[in-house]
């Protein structure tokens, strides 16, 4: 258990640094080419890739702070810092989306058609492939580490891939003669970014309001408790998520004639079984209650 946070941080840092490298290359390529061929969509797409660098920094800082061990003022750890950083990422994305839409609507209103040419399609296509691969790799690590901030960053990569797809479509339309395709593509990019931001905000708020664990994990926990033959029953099961960890507490009923050591051994075995069933770290608190039926039977005899 003590090595899991270190391994988790290493995995998150590695994929994030790879993403930073890709973002630097793509943003430079798109902005430079966009300026040369006068493509607002490609320039905006480059700025979007550049914004990924800021989110990469937020992820690295957020995860680093969240991995600090529990202390007197934060006995449950600092994991929600990571969730808060994911919300900051979403706010950044929202601002970018609104800015992109405003810029494009303004150029259409001023009636400034542009015809960037086929080079726009080539650069956007390269970006589309690179960012989609980066999204899939980042999402895989986010699921493995249960990192809300990294998951938000993965969707930032996906939104960049979508924006590059829009640029490709806009480039094709402009080559065919539509002078406002570049601006429309930029508007579509902005709307997609705002959609992704809303999804990240919703998932973060669910976690911040102490939502229970997902249904699949909850069923796995209940299955372990139901199949445990050393207890007479269980109740008052509560769970909540905090970034990469699950916090769980439950009451179990045991034979009142058991010693404290025997009862403790039962709780240890249950904890072990639950942890083996779940993929993420689990903090479990089990309260032992005497079985009321056994107490009543003992009193009558």
């Amino acid at each position: 258990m003590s090595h899991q946070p270190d391994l988790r941080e290493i995995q998150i840092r590695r994929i994030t640094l790879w993403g930073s490298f890709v973002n630097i290359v793509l943003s430079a390529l798109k902005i430079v080419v966009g300026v040369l061929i006068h493509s607002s969509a490609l320039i905006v797409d480059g700025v979007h890739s550049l914004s990924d660098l800021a989110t990469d920094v937020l992820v690295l800082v957020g995860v680093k702070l969240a991995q600090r061990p529990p202390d007197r003022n934060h006995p449950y750890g600092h994991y929600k810092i990571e969730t808060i950083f994911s919300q900051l990422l979403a706010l950044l994305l929202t601002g970018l989306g609104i800015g992109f839409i405003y810029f494009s609507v303004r150029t259409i209103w001023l009636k400034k058609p542009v015809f960037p040419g086929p080079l726009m399609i080539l650069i956007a296509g390269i970006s589309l492939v690179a960012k989609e691969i980066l999204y899939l790799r980042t999402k895989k690590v986010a699921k493995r580490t249960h990192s809300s901030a990294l998951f938000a960053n993965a969707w930032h990569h996906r939104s960049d891939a979508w924006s590059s797809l829009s640029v490709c479509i806009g480039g094709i339309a402009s080559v065919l003669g539509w002078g406002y395709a570049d601006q429309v593509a930029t508007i579509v990019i902005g709307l997609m970014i705002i959609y992704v931001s809303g999804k990240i905000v919703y998932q973060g708020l669910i976690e911040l309001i102490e939502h229970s664990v997902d249904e699949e994990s909850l069923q796995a926990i209940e299955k372990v408790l139901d199949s445990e033959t050393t207890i007479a029953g269980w109740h008052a099961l509560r769970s909540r998520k905090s970034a990469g960890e699950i916090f769980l507490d439950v009451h179990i009923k045991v034979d009142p004639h058991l010693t404290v050591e025997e009862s403790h051994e039962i709780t240890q075995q249950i904890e072990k079984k639950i942890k083996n069933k779940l993929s993420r770290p689990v903090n479990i608190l089990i309260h032992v209650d005497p079985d009321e039926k056994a107490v009543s039977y003992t009193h009558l005899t």
Side-chain angles (χ1 to χ4, degrees), residues 8 22 42 53 58 78 87 97 103 153 159 164 192 197 208 241 264 269 293 299:
R8 178 176 183 269
V22 173
L42 198 57
L53 287 174
L58 285 176
H78 302 80
Q87 301 296 286
F103 177 79
N153 207 24
S159 70
S164 295
M192 288 190 299
S197 301
L208 289 174
K241 296 183 293 183
H264 176 70
Q269 290 300 319
K293 293 182 180 179
H299 178 70

Side-chain angles (χ1 to χ4, degrees), residues 5 27-30 97 106 122 130 150 153 176 198 218 255 265 267 277 299:
S27 60
L29 183 64
K30 287 187 279 191
R106 185 173 181 274
L122 175 62
L150 191 61
N153 207 24
L176 295 176
L218 192 60
D255 186 339
E265 180 62 27
T267 64
K277 286 289 184 181
H299 178 70

Side-chain angles (χ1 to χ4, degrees), residues 11-271:
Q11 292 175 336
I12 294 173
R13 183 170 61 246
R14 181 183 297 128
I15 190 64
T16 303
L17 289 175
W18 267 110
S20 299
F21 173 75
V22 173
N23 289 328
I24 291 172
V25 174
L26 289 178
S27 60
L29 183 64
K30 287 187 279 191
I31 292 174
V32 170
V33 175
V35 170
L36 292 176
I37 64 177
H38 307 290
S39 170
S40 62
L42 198 57
I43 293 172
V44 166
D45 199 21
V47 173
H48 188 192
S49 295
L50 193 61
S51 74
D52 280 356
L53 287 174
T55 64
D56 290 339
V57 172
L58 285 176
V59 168
L60 291 172
V61 174
V63 171
K64 186 68 176 180
L65 293 175
Q67 291 298 153
R68 291 186 299 175
D71 53 37
R72 184 180 181 86
N73 294 322
H74 306 89
Y76 292 99
H78 302 80
Y79 293 106
K80 281 199 168 56
I81 293 178
E82 187 175 322
T83 307
I84 293 172
F85 269 72
S86 72
Q87 301 296 286
L88 293 176
L89 295 182
L91 291 176
L92 176 61
L93 283 171
T94 302
L96 286 171
I98 294 173
F100 295 163
I101 293 172
Y102 170 79
F103 177 79
S104 298
V105 170
R106 185 173 181 274
T107 55
I108 292 175
W109 179 263
L110 295 175
K111 297 180 180 181
K112 294 181 178 180
V114 292
F115 300 91
L119 185 58
M120 168 183 175
I121 303 172
L122 175 62
I123 300 301
I126 293 173
S127 175
L128 171 62
V129 174
K131 295 299 286 189
E132 184 64 18
I133 293 174
L134 194 55
Y135 159 75
L136 293 173
R137 295 293 299 273
T138 304
K139 184 180 178 182
K140 182 178 180 181
V141 177
K143 285 186 174 182
R144 186 189 308 143
T145 59
H146 304 284
S147 170
S148 58
L150 191 61
F151 188 74
N153 207 24
W155 274 103
H156 200 170
H157 293 315
R158 167 55 67 87
S159 70
D160 207 0
W162 285 349
S163 68
S164 295
L165 176 61
S166 298
V167 174
C168 282
I169 296 173
I172 294 172
S174 67
V175 168
L176 295 176
W178 188 28
Y180 294 105
D182 188 71
Q183 292 93 327
V184 171
T186 306
I187 293 173
V188 173
I189 294 170
L191 292 174
M192 288 190 299
I193 291 173
I194 292 173
Y195 167 76
V196 170
S197 301
K199 187 173 182 178
I200 294 171
V201 168
Y202 172 75
Q203 293 171 338
L205 290 177
I206 285 295
E207 188 168 311
L208 289 174
I209 62 175
E210 302 289 309
H211 195 278
S212 63
V213 299
D214 60 276
E215 190 62 30
E216 183 180 352
S217 298
L218 192 60
Q219 289 178 1
I221 295 168
E222 291 177 347
K223 186 175 181 181
V224 170
L225 294 170
D226 288 335
S227 62
E228 184 58 46
T229 59
T230 59
I231 63 175
W234 59 271
H235 64 283
L237 172 64
R238 299 189 302 176
S239 65
R240 61 185 176 91
K241 296 183 293 183
S242 184
E245 289 204 70
I246 290 176
F247 288 86
L248 174 73
D249 58 86
V250 64
H251 289 230
I252 60 172
K253 295 181 180 181
V254 301
D255 186 339
H257 300 99
L258 294 177
T259 64
V260 172
E261 184 177 355
E262 289 171 333
S263 297
H264 176 70
E265 180 62 27
I266 291 174
T267 64
Q268 293 292 97
Q269 290 300 319
I270 293 175
E271 285 186 22

